[in-house]
Amino acid sequence: MEANAFGTRLRQIRRDRLMTQEQLETASGVSQGQISAIESGRQPMEGVSTGVLFALCRALQCNPVWMVTGQGSNDPEAIDPRLTALLEAAQGLNEAGLSALMVTAKALSGK
């Protein structure tokens, strides 16, 4: 796997959506500097909080599973509406709540 596959996918989907880093900053609330750091590999995926991941995926209308793993589709039409609703609900959670949600989701999925 490419060392910066996460950053490469972020750049790819941002460009596919015809967005600049500044436009993504406005849409997601994630700073342009952090977006640049992720895309360039200066900030690896492991250093990206779940809140930042969800904010980017929501703004880019992409599947967070695809964003993290490269598996599945990044087509917004292919996203299960329940996942979109879950992302919307997760926006109000603090980092501890997001971490608990991730643990619960992994436990329920058996992964």
Side-chain angles (χ1 to χ4, degrees):
M1 179 204 282
E2 178 188 336
N4 186 34
F6 177 70
T8 299
R9 282 190 294 277
L10 175 59
R11 180 181 295 117
Q12 174 191 340
I13 192 71
R14 178 181 59 77
R15 289 180 175 171
D16 287 351
R17 303 291 191 256
L18 304 176
M19 295 178 83
T20 64
Q21 289 180 349
E22 292 79 9
Q23 289 168 323
L24 182 54
E25 174 183 41
T26 300
S28 68
V30 177
S31 76
Q32 183 274 327
Q34 186 171 14
I35 294 166
S36 175
I38 295 167
E39 288 185 358
S40 69
R42 293 188 318 271
Q43 182 175 2
M45 181 178 68
E46 295 77 19
V48 176
S49 72
T50 52
V52 167
L53 172 65
F54 285 162
L56 291 170
C57 290
R58 182 171 171 246
L60 292 166
Q61 298 181 348
C62 72
N63 184 336
V65 173
W66 174 84
M67 182 71 82
V68 171
T69 68
Q71 302 294 314
S73 174
N74 68 355
D75 180 354
E77 298 299 318
I79 300 173
D80 185 326
R82 295 171 297 180
L83 181 56
T84 301
L86 181 60
L87 288 173
E88 290 291 332
Q91 288 298 305
L93 297 176
N94 62 22
E95 196 61 35
L98 287 170
S99 293
L101 178 61
M102 293 295 291
V103 167
T104 302
K106 286 179 181 178
L108 290 172
S109 69
K111 295 181 181 180

